[in-house]
Amino acid sequence: MNILITAGGTSEKIDNVRSITNHSTGRLGKAIGETFLANGHFVTYVTTPQALRPKSEDNLTVVEIETTKDLESALRAQFKLHSFDSIIHSMAVSDFTTETTLSEDLFIEKLAESLTKKGNLTDLAKLTEELYHSLDEIGETIQQEKKIPSGTDRLLLFLKKNPKIISMLKDEQPQAILVGFKLLVGVSTEELLQVGQAILTKNKCDFVFANDLEKIHGNQHEGILIDAQGQTETAETKNEIAQLIVKKVEEKWRK
Amino acid sequence: MNILITAGGTSEKIDNVRSITNHSTGRLGKAIGETFLANGHFVTYVTTPQALRPKSEDNLTVVEIETTKDLESALRAQFKLHSFDSIIHSMAVSDFTTETTLSEDLFIEKLAESLTKKGNLTDLAKLTEELYHSLDEIGETIQQEKKIPSGTDRLLLFLKKNPKIISMLKDEQPQAILVGFKLLVGVSTEELLQVGQAILTKNKCDFVFANDLEKIHGNQHEGILIDAQGQTETAETKNEIAQLIVKKVEEKWRK
């Protein structure tokens, strides 16, 4: 099979020396990649600079990216070149990217300016509406310095939504068996299943692996693989997860 | 000599899966540490998980930290235990830490609430003053979820100033020869010298190494070492910088 795996965690620049990083060791992605490779499949592995990855070999192609935007263009390029039998989207992708960063002083100056232009704002609904306009104005127009001024006591960071990568995968590669991942923090098994199920339906996944950060400790890694029929299987370690995913994808592919 | 080196880059948690990271490979700190060790000195090396560090040996003690707060307590603990002959503070320390993270909707709701309480705010000065109060209120009181909601189109991240670690070093260890570092981005040599000089005076450093991100490429690393008499020496590579700093510290210590 021709497999595409995304793994690691994207990061979004704040300025030339700082960025917002989604933590991911890449250890699970590495295990999944190595399991597919061990079974003789071809793997295109899209990952981030810090993350672990499978040992290099002939059947492995590694593509490095940093931001969510990089990821999107790297994937679109891959989809032009290849038709994948399966896509394993395990990368921790930033939901948000930096829009602008302002000192509290500059933010308040701009906000006060734009609000006073609006005249008397004692009405809550009117004020709320104007605040949305002002924030859009500030977020979209104010440019920050190359390096954030360290003088100010408080900084305001505006983050705007990134495109949801997972939502485009099935449309771009309808033939691919799509495995999505959902990480939650400190939730019940019921909620984990429910959210995983929702992600699966929404993004036309064939499988979703739902897991909870509080149940991940090194190689111990609890989680539930959900399929489109709502059937579930659990795994306890990264290797078990890798084995389970590869087995399920191979089975589905043979049908 | 008994040397304390800080190296690497701190990171500040945004939530359980994201953090703001100051990029630093730790390569320069590693070179400085190894040069001191090669000259038979004892090195306490405070660094961050991702950063490179000197190969372990008998005269080296490594202390790992992540946040600026961690760094402060780790240093205070060291200062209780040891008297250092020199402190090389090369770590890239976050100037800001996360105060709170809000969806645009929640932010505007809170801001509108607090502003309407203040009645008619057509006067710019009055409005500005009230905005400071409102932002303090929101920053200090609103708590965020364990994981940021990904539904909102815009997030506002409130960051508040971290304590300046470098400013406490000479007071805590007056006997130590203190070497500070200042990284700027895309400035003239004049500005680099001026800012470095100011940092040196302000923090009672014996030396400051001033460098520009745009003149750092792998092992090529241009910068200027400034001493308390305003004399300067330049270096072109990380190894030259390490040699220069060790030489200067040893000379000053012998006096």
Side-chain angles (χ1 to χ4, degrees):
Chain A
M1 298 172 70
N2 192 13
I3 311 288
L4 175 74
I5 298 173
T6 71
T10 61
S11 54
E12 305 287 334
K13 281 184 109 195
I14 296 174
D15 64 8
N16 293 34
V17 298
R18 278 166 279 231
S19 65
I20 297 180
T21 306
N22 277 50
H23 300 297
S24 171
T25 60
R27 207 177 281 119
L28 178 58
K30 180 177 189 285
I32 297 170
E34 287 172 346
T35 309
F36 273 112
L37 288 164
N39 290 14
H41 302 293
F42 295 87
V43 173
T44 303
Y45 195 86
V46 181
T47 189
T48 50
Q50 305 294 335
L52 297 169
R53 60 202 60 188
K55 288 168 236 51
S56 67
E57 64 152 89
D58 297 351
N59 291 354
L60 173 67
T61 311
V62 173
V63 179
E64 257 198 22
I65 60 98
E66 285 191 15
T67 68
T68 304
K69 216 168 183 315
D70 296 343
L71 175 63
E72 188 178 7
S73 26
L75 290 179
R76 292 196 185 280
Q78 286 295 325
F79 296 156
K80 279 203 191 70
L81 294 169
H82 309 288
S83 153
F84 292 99
D85 301 305
S86 179
I87 300 174
I88 316 296
H89 183 47
S90 69
M91 184 180 272
V93 180
S94 314
D95 295 319
F96 297 92
T97 186
T98 313
E99 188 176 29
T100 188
T101 308
L102 308 171
S103 68
E104 178 174 49
D105 302 341
L106 182 56
F107 174 70
I108 287 178
E109 180 194 322
K110 295 295 173 187
L111 186 57
E113 268 175 20
S114 105
L115 286 180
T116 41
K117 281 203 218 93
K118 313 290 167 53
N120 188 349
L121 293 172
T122 43
D123 169 49
L124 184 59
K126 181 90 171 62
L127 174 60
T128 302
E129 188 194 327
E130 293 302 346
L131 282 172
Y132 273 101
H133 294 159
S134 304
L135 249 62
D136 283 338
E137 229 174 79
I138 293 170
E140 289 158 15
T141 61
I142 309 289
Q143 292 309 313
Q144 68 189 68
E145 290 105 301
K146 277 181 167 184
K147 189 164 184 253
I148 296 166
S150 58
T152 172
D153 283 342
R154 185 179 277 130
L155 271 184
L156 275 89
L157 208 57
F158 282 53
L159 304 176
K160 63 173 188 301
K161 212 162 176 40
N162 266 328
K164 266 288 181 194
I165 299 300
I166 189 169
S167 64
M168 74 155 183
L169 298 177
K170 200 70 171 194
D171 303 334
E172 293 283 326
Q173 299 261 301
Q175 77 292 339
I177 298 163
L178 178 58
V179 183
F181 287 71
K182 184 62 182 177
L183 179 67
L184 293 169
V185 182
V187 299
S188 66
T189 307
E190 293 61 37
E191 186 174 349
L192 200 58
L193 281 168
Q194 193 180 48
V195 174
Q197 199 50 268
I199 298 284
L200 184 143
T201 313
K202 185 169 173 227
N203 302 294
K204 311 187 207 82
C205 298
D206 299 281
F207 301 93
V208 163
F209 185 76
N211 51 163
D212 187 320
L213 190 68
E214 293 178 356
K215 292 178 174 171
I216 303 174
H217 310 284
N219 198 46
Q220 282 302 310
H221 191 141
E222 271 184 56
I224 308 168
L225 188 68
I226 308 165
D227 73 14
Q229 291 68 45
Q231 292 181 311
T232 63
E233 274 190 51
T234 62
E236 302 285 323
T237 69
K238 289 186 171 29
N239 293 334
E240 279 181 31
I241 298 166
Q243 298 293 342
L244 178 61
I245 288 173
V246 172
K247 189 188 83 191
K248 290 292 185 180
V249 167
E250 286 176 335
E251 281 172 8
K252 191 167 176 64
W253 184 65
R254 286 200 205 91
K255 286 177 191 155
Chain B
M1 298 171 71
N2 191 13
I3 311 288
L4 176 73
I5 298 173
T6 71
T10 62
S11 55
E12 304 287 333
K13 282 184 109 196
I14 296 174
D15 63 8
N16 293 35
V17 298
R18 280 168 277 230
S19 66
I20 297 180
T21 305
N22 277 49
H23 300 296
S24 170
T25 61
R27 206 178 281 119
L28 178 57
K30 179 177 190 285
I32 296 170
E34 287 172 345
T35 309
F36 272 112
L37 289 164
N39 290 14
H41 301 293
F42 295 87
V43 173
T44 302
Y45 195 87
V46 181
T47 189
T48 50
Q50 305 294 336
L52 297 170
R53 59 202 60 186
K55 288 168 238 47
S56 68
E57 64 151 272
D58 297 351
N59 291 354
L60 173 67
T61 311
V62 173
V63 178
E64 256 196 23
I65 60 98
E66 285 192 15
T67 69
T68 303
K69 216 168 183 316
D70 296 343
L71 174 63
E72 187 179 6
S73 25
L75 290 179
R76 292 196 186 281
Q78 287 295 324
F79 295 156
K80 282 206 188 68
L81 294 169
H82 309 287
S83 152
F84 292 99
D85 302 305
S86 179
I87 300 174
I88 317 295
H89 183 47
S90 69
M91 185 180 271
V93 179
S94 314
D95 294 318
F96 297 92
T97 187
T98 314
E99 188 176 28
T100 188
T101 308
L102 306 172
S103 69
E104 178 174 47
D105 301 342
L106 182 56
F107 174 70
I108 286 178
E109 179 194 323
K110 295 296 174 186
L111 186 56
E113 269 175 20
S114 104
L115 285 180
T116 41
K117 282 203 219 92
K118 312 290 167 54
N120 187 348
L121 292 173
T122 43
D123 170 48
L124 183 60
K126 181 91 172 59
L127 174 60
T128 303
E129 188 194 327
E130 293 302 347
L131 282 173
Y132 274 102
H133 294 160
S134 304
L135 250 61
D136 284 339
E137 232 174 74
I138 293 169
E140 288 158 17
T141 61
I142 309 290
Q143 292 308 311
Q144 69 189 68
E145 290 104 302
K146 276 182 167 184
K147 189 163 186 256
I148 296 166
S150 59
T152 174
D153 284 342
R154 184 180 278 132
L155 271 186
L156 275 89
L157 210 57
F158 282 53
L159 304 176
K160 63 173 190 301
K161 215 163 173 39
N162 267 328
K164 266 287 182 195
I165 298 300
I166 189 170
S167 65
M168 74 157 184
L169 297 177
K170 200 70 170 194
D171 303 334
E172 292 282 327
Q173 298 261 300
Q175 78 292 340
I177 299 164
L178 178 58
V179 183
F181 287 71
K182 184 62 182 178
L183 179 67
L184 294 170
V185 182
V187 300
S188 66
T189 307
E190 294 62 36
E191 187 175 348
L192 199 58
L193 280 168
Q194 194 178 49
V195 175
Q197 195 55 263
I199 298 283
L200 184 144
T201 312
K202 184 167 174 230
N203 303 293
K204 311 186 208 84
C205 298
D206 299 279
F207 301 93
V208 163
F209 185 76
N211 51 163
D212 188 318
L213 190 67
E214 293 179 356
K215 292 177 173 171
I216 304 176
H217 309 284
N219 198 45
Q220 281 303 309
H221 190 141
E222 271 185 56
I224 308 168
L225 188 68
I226 309 164
D227 73 13
Q229 291 68 45
Q231 291 181 313
T232 64
E233 275 190 52
T234 61
E236 301 286 325
T237 68
K238 289 185 170 31
N239 293 334
E240 278 181 32
I241 298 166
Q243 297 292 342
L244 177 62
I245 287 173
V246 172
K247 190 188 81 190
K248 289 293 185 179
V249 168
E250 286 177 335
E251 281 173 9
K252 190 166 177 65
W253 184 64
R254 287 200 203 86
K255 285 175 192 157

